[in-house]
Amino acid sequence: MGDIEGSYRVLPTPGTRLGAQFNAGISTLEPGQSLGANLVSGNRNHGRGLQIRVQGLDDTQEFFDIDPRSLGQTLLTEVFQRGNIMESDYFGLEFQNTQMNWVWLEPTKLIVRQVRRPANTLFRLSVKFFPPDPGQLQEEYTRYLFSLQMKRDLIDGRLICSENTGALLVSHFVQSEIGDYDDAADRDFLKMNSLLPYQDKVEDRIMELHRRHLGQTPAESDFQILEIARKLEMYGVRFHPAADREDTKINLSVAHMGMQVFQGCTKINTFNWSKIRKLSFKRKRFLIKLYPEVHGPHQDTLEFLMESRDQCKIFWKICVEYHSFFRLFDQPLPKTKAILFTRGSSFRYSGRTQKQLVDFVKENGTKRTPYQRCVTFYYLYLFFYLYGSAVFTESVPDLILLGLCNVKAELISGVLLIVLCSSIPDSVDSPQLSPCNSKGPMCLSPSFQMSTLSLPGQASPLQSPVLTEGGGTNKLEEEEEGRRKRYPTDKAYFIAKEILTTERTYLKDLEVITVWFRSAVIKENAMPEGLMSLLFSNIDPIYEFHRGFLKELDQRLALWSGRSNAHVKGDYQRIGDVMLRNMNALKEFTSYLQKHDEVLTELEKATKRLKKLETVYKEFELQKVCYLPLNTFLLKPIQRLMHYKLILERLCKHYSPNHKDYDDCKEALKEVAEIAVQLQSSLIRLENFQKLTELQRDLIGIENLTAPGREFIREGCLYKLTKKGLQQRMFFLFSDMLLYTSKGVTATNQFKVHGQLPLHGMIVEESENEWSVPHCFTIYSAQRTIVVAASSKVEMGKWIEDLNFAIDMAKKSNTALMLLVTLPLLPPSPLAPLSGSSDEVSLEQESEDDMNSSHTSLDKQTHHRANTTMHVCWHRNTSVSMSDHSQAVENQLSGYLLRKFKNSNGWQKLWVVFTNFCLFFYKTHQDDFPLASLPLLGYTVSTPDESDSIHKEYVFKLQFKSHVYFFRAETEEQWLVAWLVMKGPEASPGGGGVPRRTEA
């Protein structure tokens, strides 16, 4: 019996990636590299070892000479090196065992121990790990190999899909293979290649769809193939027959998120990795043990019966590998082996995890060998089939005069060049031609192929659909822009798309708790069972609901847009029915949402009480995936309701009352408004509690900041008058007191409290004239008087307004009784109450040693996050109020934008998330954590000036001092929404509140 825990070994990194022979439709020879050396290495003396046959993803076969006592890893490394595969850990070699089942070659075992007759066995290169999003694949070549896997799965009947989806996939395969639409070439290709069992039935549909891919490069075709395939339920699914306890025939499968159960081809259940405590097998029984505290009364051990022990173990091994690859960040230390007795399987995953693989490719990306698409033998076959006799009997000018109407221009130029080069003497330098192997494509050297096979004005085949940091606008974007201009799309579509994009971000935010944080506390066993049950039993059902909701939104928007054809009218040009159905279902989760108040409070108490949990909590907050303070994510479910309400209001405002979608949208708005009203007061309490706990962690010298009845009002930077002059201080206004702090050079990014002024009896007056300091005002309190200056008149007005409001509220709520007990300062405040009249000014002498000291109690603490609003206000010299925080919740933004730096040439396409006054940048919406962030407090938002030389539509400019960024939206609607969202937190002058978007 085996379990999922164990040790792992790093896969040796591939060696030299130049001069690879393995053919996958790609030339791996560099300019000037000798072909002869490679041919010699490919025809070595085979008598000294095993000669193993490996079939590539393009169905070509290669032979490898391997020592009989070699491990599986030796063959894998040879295949990956010769195939020039950098992201090799996604792939594996499979072969058929004696029961004719396909099994994976294990890297750590001898080949002869796994395969009965290795020399007579066909090994097949295949995709082993299917990531949820093709955007996670860094290299274009890897995406090409994945598209070949999709092609193989389609032919084998594994990738089951509807006729329309099948036709769409094949149309992209045709575009990738033969280029732009040509009636005769399409029919010949489809006649020679049968990719669907019903291909004849949908042939006209395939050609119609292919016609729409005009100008699409092979790389873009690969990306589209993977985008379509990943949304299919059977993407990456490999069935393992089994039976449940009722002897019902089912199929088990494993994916990146966990285990799946199918009945026929219908998925009936999914067990996420985060819910699985242990996987094991005992003879023919496959066992899944779940966390009982998460699933309550449900059965915590599930049992499935498989046909044999071998099949049971094969599936268990695949589960171990999938779990290790997708879930682990780093490889754990090896498990010590027992000296005398061992129990369980010794199988362990060997290879890099996905995270390690991504990091490796990023670090070594500049070393990769560029590759070019090759002239496939399909082109040569077609050419010689139609005009073969002319090639060798006619002169080149006569050949050009032939009516080659059915052959692509790039095909003609490539074949003509081959003919021409065949007659050039050996002494003349000529472009290198590399016949990769007898069955594969004819490959041209990279330097030559770029100039010969690319049509004028056509995008380079090297240009990836996922833009790199230095990437520019590719041809696909320009064509999409042209289609948008030709076919104006209804504004409702873009509002619906906003629901979809923000829902994707929201689901990712839920995963920070349900997947990542759960994994962290389980790994360290840091959370009591009671709190574990309270936390996850409340948020898990919400997460599962929104997974289904997102899938439904995704499907509806795909049907609505018709793959960039949103101008075509149909029954799916609406979103109200989807929203109404799911808003009704969401009402069932009101009780869960109401418990979030208790969850947040209990989690905070446990963190203070349990040192182990506090450590895990703080360490988790420093991980990239936790891009906001952790307890912020617990507020997301209620905040999302408010967001639904605002978007539906905009949608109803856009529709006329007689629109077919109006009634459903209006009813959905009514449903979500009812839930929002019930939870509004709870949200206010939670947001205030979250802010107080966040400040408690970032402030040194004050305890019990979360005292009952205390409300946060404003935080920001002011200059305080001292004996040294004006000194920068960070001020925090609460409903009962005003704190001011400084940021010293300590072991953390925390602020140290220097003074605490009760609001009872406080008076605030403008005093610019008295002190001759711009934007200056004086704060008189019972203890002391201080003089402060704001960065602008607007900032000063906000502080004075909020201070007077807080003072009035303190009087009305009789908070004087509460203030009899003041908060203790750690260490005791160096400030003593002033003697004399109340209009004397405190000009305290602050010790530099005191400001720069590092207390021993802080030495063990880790660095705090530097992108919280507190730190941003400090560096940008501005302030933010609690009302700003509350309104910012309603102004969420998620979607693709094109970004350009001030002095850069190209535009970079990024997935952008705006939340908590900050822009977070991702390569794709599937990324687990942001690549970078840009806090917007202090930035001005405007349109580009003439001097900026930006000649594009839908562009807005962000600027803070010398920092300038340009962002370009895809549509006017998206531009307007982004403009209103980002215009809110600008600090020109002095920051400000965030406007509501009901007018967008």
Side-chain angles (χ1 to χ4, degrees), residues 608 692 694-707 710 732 734 736-741 750-757 822-829 870:
K608 290 179 179 179
L692 292 175
E694 179 188 325
L695 293 176
Q696 181 74 74
R697 290 187 175 90
D698 276 350
L699 295 179
I700 303 172
I702 191 165
E703 289 182 344
N704 197 24
L705 196 60
T706 57
R710 178 171 292 122
F732 301 91
F734 302 93
D736 59 346
M737 65 176 175
L738 176 68
L739 296 180
Y740 56 94
T741 67
Q750 292 167 295
F751 286 79
K752 180 182 176 183
V753 175
H754 279 283
Q756 169 191 330
L757 306 178
T822 59
L823 292 176
L825 292 174
L826 301 176
S829 172
M870 176 193 301

Side-chain angles (χ1 to χ4, degrees), residues 383-454:
F383 185 83
F384 288 114
Y385 176 78
L386 297 174
Y387 310 105
S389 59
V391 173
F392 297 104
T393 59
E394 304 291 340
S395 64
V396 171
D398 292 335
L399 178 65
I400 296 175
L401 292 176
L402 289 174
L404 306 182
C405 57
N406 291 329
V407 183
K408 295 283 176 196
E410 61 266 35
L411 166 63
I412 298 172
S413 61
V415 177
L416 286 178
L417 187 67
I418 294 171
V419 176
L420 283 171
C421 292
S422 65
S423 61
I424 297 176
D426 294 337
S427 59
V428 179
D429 292 335
S430 60
Q432 289 191 7
L433 303 180
S434 311
C436 302
N437 59 45
S438 59
K439 297 182 181 180
M442 181 74 72
C443 302
L444 307 180
S445 67
S447 60
F448 167 75
Q449 192 170 1
M450 282 290 292
S451 60
T452 309
L453 298 187
S454 295

Side-chain angles (χ1 to χ4, degrees), residues 89 136 144 379 630 658 724 892 899:
D89 298 81
Q136 294 176 336
Y144 168 66
Y379 287 121
L630 178 59
N658 58 354
K724 294 182 179 180
Q892 303 288 322
R899 183 185 68 177

Side-chain angles (χ1 to χ4, degrees), residues 86-153:
M86 192 174 195
E87 295 178 283
S88 56
D89 298 81
Y90 285 112
F91 303 91
L93 291 177
E94 56 180 351
F95 62 93
Q96 287 185 305
N97 60 12
T98 53
Q99 290 79 35
M100 301 307 291
N101 295 318
W102 286 98
V103 295
W104 294 106
L105 180 69
E106 292 184 30
T108 57
K109 290 177 65 175
L110 294 174
I111 296 176
V112 292
R113 290 285 181 89
Q114 303 179 65
V115 189
R116 178 170 293 182
R117 296 185 179 88
N120 299 331
T121 301
L122 175 66
F123 291 83
R124 192 168 72 173
L125 179 68
S126 300
V127 173
K128 189 173 187 179
F129 300 113
F130 291 83
D133 178 35
Q136 294 176 336
L137 305 175
Q138 305 294 307
E139 288 208 312
E140 180 185 327
Y141 182 25
T142 310
R143 290 192 290 273
Y144 168 66
L145 295 179
F146 264 73
S147 71
L148 292 178
Q149 181 69 59
M150 297 303 104
K151 183 178 179 181
R152 180 190 287 176
D153 288 353

Side-chain angles (χ1 to χ4, degrees), residues 629-777:
L630 178 59
N631 52 16
T632 303
F633 294 101
L634 289 170
L635 307 184
K636 294 289 183 179
I638 304 180
Q639 292 172 342
R640 184 61 176 156
L641 285 172
M642 310 304 168
H643 200 207
Y644 289 145
K645 179 174 175 288
L646 287 172
I647 296 180
L648 285 168
E649 284 175 353
R650 286 169 50 208
L651 202 54
C652 290
K653 186 176 179 181
H654 165 69
Y655 283 140
S656 61
N658 58 354
H659 192 280
K660 63 181 180 182
D661 203 25
Y662 178 80
D663 290 339
D664 284 342
C665 287
K666 195 73 175 176
E667 192 63 29
L669 174 59
K670 179 183 175 183
E671 296 295 335
V672 76
E674 288 179 4
I675 311 174
V677 168
Q678 296 178 44
L679 298 170
Q680 182 67 44
S681 60
S682 178
L683 177 60
I684 294 172
R685 287 196 310 274
L686 286 170
E687 288 177 342
N688 182 69
F689 183 76
Q690 184 276 325
K691 186 61 185 176
L692 292 175
T693 54
E694 179 188 325
L695 293 176
Q696 181 74 74
R697 290 187 175 90
D698 276 350
L699 295 179
I700 303 172
I702 191 165
E703 289 182 344
N704 197 24
L705 196 60
T706 57
R710 178 171 292 122
E711 294 182 12
F712 167 76
I713 298 175
R714 179 174 288 275
E715 64 181 329
C717 181
L718 294 171
Y719 286 87
K720 183 176 178 292
L721 190 61
T722 68
K723 289 182 179 180
K724 294 182 179 180
L726 291 173
Q727 298 287 323
Q728 187 179 4
R729 297 288 180 265
M730 193 69 186
F731 281 73
F732 301 91
L733 176 61
F734 302 93
S735 59
D736 59 346
M737 65 176 175
L738 176 68
L739 296 180
Y740 56 94
T741 67
S742 67
K743 185 180 180 184
V745 183
T746 64
T748 69
N749 278 323
Q750 292 167 295
F751 286 79
K752 180 182 176 183
V753 175
H754 279 283
Q756 169 191 330
L757 306 178
L759 296 186
H760 180 61
M762 183 179 286
I763 300 174
V764 181
E765 290 182 355
E766 291 189 41
S767 52
E768 289 183 89
N769 298 330
E770 182 181 353
W771 295 96
S772 300
V773 176
H775 323 308
C776 176
F777 58 100

Side-chain angles (χ1 to χ4, degrees), residues 838-857:
S838 62
D839 60 350
E840 281 189 309
V841 180
S842 170
L843 302 177
E844 77 268 20
Q845 176 68 47
E846 292 176 343
S847 166
E848 292 295 328
D849 293 336
D850 184 49
M851 289 178 61
N852 298 335
S853 65
S854 177
H855 299 281
T856 55
S857 61

